[in-house]
Amino acid sequence: MRLSPIAAALSLLALAGCSQKSKDDTSQAADSIAADANTTMSRAVNSVDAASDKAFGSAQQSMSNAAGSMTDGGNTLDRAGDSLDRAGGAIGNAADRASHATGRALKKAGDKLDQ
């Protein structure tokens, strides 16, 4: 069973009227309690540090993955834009050919009316 530092201090006050050996034993017990508390706190800090490092590492990897996905998505959009440009050019060329064909057909029709 571990005593809290407050309980240890109260024990010291209660034993103030006791023998030197009792005082020494109480002092050693208080030192042991303080050492245990320091060890526990040190372990807790180390555990928190390790968990924080792991969480930050995971977050950093997630951000790197997201950046890579965004780059891949940007490249896909660039390729899609190029495809749309080519499709637009093809539509424009087809419209020009249709316009020329219509013009030729109308000219032929007009020529036949003139005959």
Side-chain angles (χ1 to χ4, degrees):
M1 175 173 126
R2 294 180 188 236
L3 292 176
S4 71
I6 294 172
L10 291 175
S11 296
L12 285 174
L13 290 174
L15 295 174
C18 295
S19 69
Q20 186 60 40
K21 181 173 179 354
S22 295
K23 291 178 184 179
D24 291 343
D25 289 345
T26 302
S27 176
Q28 287 175 355
D31 290 344
S32 178
I33 290 169
D36 286 348
N38 285 337
T39 300
T40 301
M41 288 301 290
S42 178
R43 287 180 182 160
V45 167
N46 290 339
S47 294
V48 169
D49 286 346
S52 296
D53 288 346
K54 185 176 180 180
F56 287 135
S58 178
Q60 185 178 19
Q61 185 61 44
S62 294
M63 289 173 60
S64 293
N65 291 344
S69 294
M70 289 173 63
T71 299
D72 292 345
N75 291 338
T76 300
L77 288 174
D78 286 344
R79 287 191 301 273
D82 292 343
S83 294
L84 288 173
D85 286 344
R86 286 192 300 276
I91 290 169
N93 291 339
D96 287 345
R97 286 192 302 273
S99 175
H100 291 302
T102 303
R104 283 192 302 272
L106 288 173
K107 183 164 180 359
K108 285 182 185 178
D111 288 345
K112 286 187 182 185
L113 288 175
D114 285 337
Q115 295 177 353

